[in-house]
């Protein structure tokens, strides 16, 4: 049984506070995990509270339902206790940050108790054979960097990599090539919240630069490296005007669909996340039909890892892929249920970090445990490499 749950406030990668949880069990098992935090958060995400408040509420309401009551390895039991303690459908009482930290720490304690890796505890004995392709954020702007691109993330997608370690190094090489190309053009650039270059260029130039960088790395590494995007369309969308704003330039919904479909063709995009507003299932369905199954149209803010929202999307044919962020929904059980519903309906699950992160590497295990075809977890920076290096270790030990 769970013997203790302790909670504390620690730093995240933006210098903000976040919740860290530690779970210990009667039999000496231990797990520690921390909640990440978004900047371009979806309207329908579970609620993140101030860390101090989330911690106080979780201590008062959730810890008594866990200690001496539930086995750490009984993930559904743990997560049911969290839901029972909270009593709302968006974790607004104890905070999704407390909930997800406890949920993930309990999973690690459960794995530790059994002496098996986390991915195996979560996914079973046969997991660890298929590895996700890491999507590497190499250029970005939007809510993650001021004065940079309108599209939030330009991603490298090393789909032809023979192993995770090759894929991880290919993404790092694309990141470096982008820097070389920027330097060659006399464009200075700092980095955004996820470690991607954040140059003050328009989106058209960013496409050119990233396409050139991926081609160079494809030649150097000898396998296919494609491109992907997170448009974060909800952040561009002006609901009053009904247009997507790219600075001076605006596009109505039909023009936005045309624009994205043209980009898919021109740059052979393998992955496009949130190309449209989070409330527009219909536009998502139109675009999904138009690009076909070759390109993943992924719902992040659209679905927020929520099975009800995903069910609506399935009904309407909106997107063909779902981003999985455990903190959007609050527990690992809810994240698993979303993945299961997705897979049953032919939607590809893509496991993801947040722009505000910690050294926590749970999502690397989650991606392996669920056979997710892709994981989005950045390219450089310690809070990003924590996940990438964990994937390399899992591959090495599997
Ligand atoms: P966020 O951005 O973590 O700031 O929400 C990541 C994303 O939109 O995928
Ligand atoms: Zn996104």
């Amino acid at each position: 049984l769970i013997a203790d749950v302790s909670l504390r406030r620690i730093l995240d990668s933006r210098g903000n506070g976040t919740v860290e949880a530690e779970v210990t069990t009667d039999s000496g098992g231990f797990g520690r995990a921390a909640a990440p935090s978004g900047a371009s958060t979806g309207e329908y995400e579970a609620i993140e509270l101030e860390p101090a408040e989330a911690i106080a509420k979780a201590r008062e309401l959730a810890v008594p339902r866990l200690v001496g009551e539930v086995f750490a390895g009984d993930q559904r039991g743990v997560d049911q206790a969290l839901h029972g303690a909270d009593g709302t459908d968006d974790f607004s009482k104890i905070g999704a940050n407390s909930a997800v930290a406890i949920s993930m720490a309990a999973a690690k304690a459960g794995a530790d108790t059994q002496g098996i890796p986390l991915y195996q505890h979560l996914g079973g004995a046969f997991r660890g054979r298929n590895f996700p392709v890491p999507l590497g954020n190499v250029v970005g702007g939007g809510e993650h960097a001021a004065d940079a691109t309108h599209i939030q993330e330009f991603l490298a997608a090393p789909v032809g990599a023979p192993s995770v370690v090759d894929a991880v190094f290919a993404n790092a090489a694309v990141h470096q090539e982008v820097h070389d190309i920027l330097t060659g053009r006399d464009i200075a650039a700092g980095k955004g919240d996820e470690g991607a270059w954040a140059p003050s260029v328009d989106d058209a130039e960013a496409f050119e630069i990233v396409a050139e960088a991926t081609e160079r790395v494809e030649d150097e590494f000898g396998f296919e490296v494609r491109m992907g995007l997170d448009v974060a369309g909800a952040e561009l969308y002006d609901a009053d005007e009904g247009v997507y704003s790219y600075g001076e330039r605006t596009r109505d919904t039909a023009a936005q669909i045309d624009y994205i479909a043209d980009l898919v063709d021109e740059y052979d995009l393998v992955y496009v996340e949130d190309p449209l507003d989070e409330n527009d299932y219909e536009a998502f369905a139109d675009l999904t039909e138009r690009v076909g199954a070759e390109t993943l149209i992924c719902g992040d803010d659209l679905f927020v890892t929520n099975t009800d929202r995903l069910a609506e999307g399935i009904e309407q044919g909106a997107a063909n892929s779902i981003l999985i962020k455990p903190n959007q929904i609050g527990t690992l059980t809810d994240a698993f249920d979303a993945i299961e519903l997705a897979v049953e309906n032919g939607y590809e699950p893509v496991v993801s970090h947040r722009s505000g992160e910690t050294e926590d590497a749970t999502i690397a295990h989650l991606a392996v445990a669920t056979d997710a075809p892709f994981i989005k977890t950045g390219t450089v920076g310690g809070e990003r490499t924590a996940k990438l290096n964990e994937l390399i270790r899992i591959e090495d030990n599997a």
Side-chain angles (χ1 to χ4, degrees):
L1 289 171
I2 290 178
D4 189 45
V5 178
S6 64
L7 296 160
R8 66 173 66 88
R9 195 168 66 100
I10 63 163
L11 273 177
D12 79 3
S13 56
R14 275 194 279 255
N16 295 326
T18 189
V19 179
E20 178 171 270
E22 288 180 355
V23 170
T24 50
T25 70
D26 285 341
S27 50
F30 174 78
R32 174 190 292 144
S37 175
S40 69
T41 49
E43 192 179 332
Y44 304 100
E45 293 195 21
I47 305 298
E48 173 189 318
L49 299 177
E50 281 296 313
E53 192 190 348
I55 289 168
K57 288 288 190 212
R59 279 184 186 144
E60 178 196 337
L61 300 170
V63 174
R65 289 180 182 244
L66 293 164
V67 173
E69 301 288 333
V70 188
F71 285 99
D74 173 13
Q75 194 66 43
R76 283 197 187 270
V78 168
D79 294 339
Q80 263 164 25
L82 291 168
H83 276 293
D86 182 83
T88 71
D89 58 10
D90 58 6
F91 277 114
S92 49
K93 198 80 174 261
I94 66 168
N97 37 350
S98 273
V100 80
I102 294 170
S103 180
M104 297 192 303
K108 290 183 183 178
D112 189 42
T113 302
Q114 300 167 74
I116 58 175
L118 179 58
Y119 73 83
Q120 221 170 61
H121 170 49
L122 295 174
F126 295 102
R127 296 301 174 167
R129 200 161 65 95
N130 298 316
F131 284 84
V133 174
L135 296 168
N137 190 357
V138 293
V139 170
E143 295 296 305
H144 293 168
D147 247 335
T149 55
H150 295 288
I151 289 176
Q152 182 177 281
E153 301 168 25
F154 293 77
L155 303 159
V159 293
S163 67
V164 163
V165 65
D166 288 302
V168 165
F169 277 85
N171 284 349
V174 175
H175 191 269
Q176 287 169 348
E177 289 291 354
V178 166
H179 188 245
D180 285 353
I181 296 167
L182 289 169
T183 306
R185 295 185 184 197
D186 266 334
I187 301 167
K191 292 180 198 163
D193 284 353
E194 294 183 355
W197 299 110
S200 179
V201 298
D202 61 21
D203 290 15
E205 187 167 11
F207 274 109
E208 229 178 73
I209 291 168
V210 177
E212 167 76 26
T214 53
E215 272 163 37
R216 288 187 193 175
V217 170
E218 207 167 52
D219 290 345
E220 188 192 336
F221 281 62
F223 54 74
E224 192 178 10
V225 183
R226 308 251 304 262
M227 277 173 68
L229 301 175
D230 182 0
V231 179
E235 307 293 339
L236 302 176
Y237 190 63
D238 178 340
D240 294 334
E241 304 289 328
V243 295
Y244 294 81
S245 296
Y246 296 78
E248 300 288 283
R249 163 119 204 218
T250 60
R251 294 181 172 91
D252 66 12
T253 299
Q256 176 74 359
I257 292 172
D258 288 343
Y259 174 54
I260 300 294
D262 288 347
L263 290 173
V264 167
D265 283 344
E266 186 170 356
Y267 295 100
D268 193 24
L269 302 177
V270 69
Y271 177 85
V272 184
E273 182 180 322
D274 283 348
L276 294 148
D277 182 58
E278 62 202 330
N279 290 302
D280 203 343
Y281 286 95
E282 206 183 312
F284 262 93
D286 288 349
L287 178 67
T288 306
E289 195 181 324
R290 197 149 142 196
V291 301
E294 292 303 298
T295 299
L296 292 189
I297 300 296
C298 184
D300 169 15
D301 293 348
L302 177 69
F303 295 139
V304 292
T305 318
N306 181 313
T307 50
D308 291 341
R309 291 190 61 86
L310 176 59
E312 180 66 33
I314 291 165
E315 173 105 12
Q316 297 203 33
N320 53 25
S321 170
I322 177 176
L323 207 68
I324 300 292
K325 292 169 166 171
N327 86 314
Q328 279 182 327
I329 194 70
T331 72
L332 282 177
T333 297
D334 292 291
F336 263 77
D337 288 348
I339 292 171
E340 194 173 75
L341 181 64
V343 170
E344 276 168 10
N345 289 279
Y347 279 54
E348 303 274 20
V350 177
V351 174
S352 174
H353 65 167
R354 302 306 305 252
S355 50
E357 268 293 343
T358 70
E359 313 85 86
D360 189 280
T362 305
I363 58 166
H365 290 266
L366 178 61
V368 173
T370 57
D371 274 344
F374 291 100
I375 183 170
K376 196 175 84 157
T377 188
T379 305
V380 297
E383 72 281 7
R384 316 294 153 188
T385 57
K387 285 78 162 165
L388 298 169
N389 289 336
E390 187 74 353
L391 280 174
I392 293 172
R393 289 181 204 109
I394 295 171
E395 180 177 69
D396 207 30
N397 291 326

